[in-house]
Amino acid sequence: MFGFHPAGGGTAFFSGWQRALGERVRVVPVRLPGRDVSAASHRHRLLSSLVAAVDDHLGPQLEQPYLLYGHSMGALIAYHLARLRAATGRRLPEQLLVGAYPAPHLPHPLHRAGQLTDPELTELLLDFAALPAALRGDRRWLVDRIALVRADIALCESQGLDGPRPPLPCPVEVFTGVGDPLVTVPAAAAWATHTDRACTLHTLLGGHFFPRESKKQFFGALNSVMTRLTSRS
């Protein structure tokens, strides 16, 4: 299972997932270009070029059975990766798993945040991200994080609205927090319009970061998905 992290985040988002999911699946967090200050110049400005680079980087690993899980911005990346592979006639994920993101024809969760000042954006992120106290007090860390979040917002906006898209020929599992201030349940349910296979909606306790806030419920739901896949194979 290849994992794509939220805006402003990194591969640490998936810490503990392998232990929670056991041996039936190998969790592979995907490191996106420019995830640290020294590599900022290597960040992709366009979602299309980022997805193409990820597809090229993962290469042969996507020619055997695999899953994609994307959380928040990561859901958009995972979706477009699946779209790219469908358009070029290559192997698709057994299932596309998306969390904390509205259906891709809808505005992205932080579409209004790009106009906020740095202090306003900082307060918004502190409100919904439930950061540990140590990080809340680290202003240098917050400044760097805000710059990365702004770059990621621009990345999401580069998707554009290119009209109706053909539905994906693979099942989709959608995870959403009932207390998410950025993604409503109907917006999450609208993912059903982007697949011609089954689309299952999982509503979980917690907000935008429900994998951290409701670990037992989230990993229980994810393990149920894995059990269904294993029983079919």
Side-chain angles (χ1 to χ4, degrees), residues 69 95-99 101 170-176 185 188-204 221-222 224-225 228 232:
Y69 178 89
Q95 293 206 341
L96 172 64
L97 313 173
V98 294
Y101 204 85
C170 65
V172 178
E173 301 277 339
V174 184
F175 301 84
T176 192
V185 172
W191 274 95
T193 65
H194 292 271
T195 177
D196 59 11
R197 302 300 204 279
C199 183
T200 304
L201 178 66
H202 306 265
T203 54
L204 308 167
L222 205 49
S224 294
V225 172
R228 292 203 308 272
R232 291 207 315 248

Side-chain angles (χ1 to χ4, degrees), residues 121-232:
L121 184 53
T122 299
E123 288 307 312
L124 175 65
L125 296 179
L126 290 175
D127 284 346
F128 77 78
L131 294 175
L135 291 181
R136 284 173 171 264
D138 188 341
R139 306 311 293 183
R140 175 59 185 273
W141 182 89
L142 286 172
V143 167
D144 291 341
R145 197 56 40 174
I146 289 299
L148 184 53
V149 167
R150 286 197 185 280
D152 285 344
I153 290 173
L155 188 70
C156 292
E157 290 175 343
S158 76
Q159 169 191 227
L161 297 175
D162 53 4
R165 298 166 178 149
L168 289 171
C170 65
V172 178
E173 301 277 339
V174 184
F175 301 84
T176 192
V178 293
D180 191 337
L182 300 179
V183 184
T184 66
V185 172
W191 274 95
T193 65
H194 292 271
T195 177
D196 59 11
R197 302 300 204 279
C199 183
T200 304
L201 178 66
H202 306 265
T203 54
L204 308 167
L205 298 175
H208 198 66
F209 293 100
F210 51 79
R212 185 173 63 207
E213 299 162 351
S214 299
K215 289 182 180 179
K216 185 175 181 180
Q217 187 185 18
F218 171 67
F219 286 113
L222 205 49
N223 269 307
S224 294
V225 172
M226 303 300 166
T227 299
R228 292 203 308 272
L229 284 171
T230 302
S231 66
R232 291 207 315 248

Side-chain angles (χ1 to χ4, degrees), residues 57-76:
H57 173 68
L58 295 179
Q61 297 180 78
L62 301 181
E63 297 305 330
Q64 54 189 336
Y66 69 95
L67 304 170
L68 299 177
Y69 178 89
H71 195 88
S72 195
M73 176 189 76
L76 188 64

Side-chain angles (χ1 to χ4, degrees), residues 101-115:
Y101 204 85
H105 65 278
L106 300 174
H108 69 84
L110 292 174
H111 68 283
R112 293 192 180 93
Q115 284 71 51

Side-chain angles (χ1 to χ4, degrees), residues 1-7 9-11 13-14 17 27-32 50-51 54-55 58 62 66-79 81-82 96-97 99:
M1 181 176 74
F2 296 97
F4 296 88
H5 59 72
T11 56
F13 178 81
F14 295 97
W17 283 44
V27 179
V28 183
V30 177
R31 184 178 299 279
L32 301 178
L50 172 64
V51 169
V54 168
D55 183 47
L58 295 179
L62 301 181
Y66 69 95
L67 304 170
L68 299 177
Y69 178 89
H71 195 88
S72 195
M73 176 189 76
L76 188 64
I77 295 171
Y79 164 70
L81 177 58
L96 172 64
L97 313 173

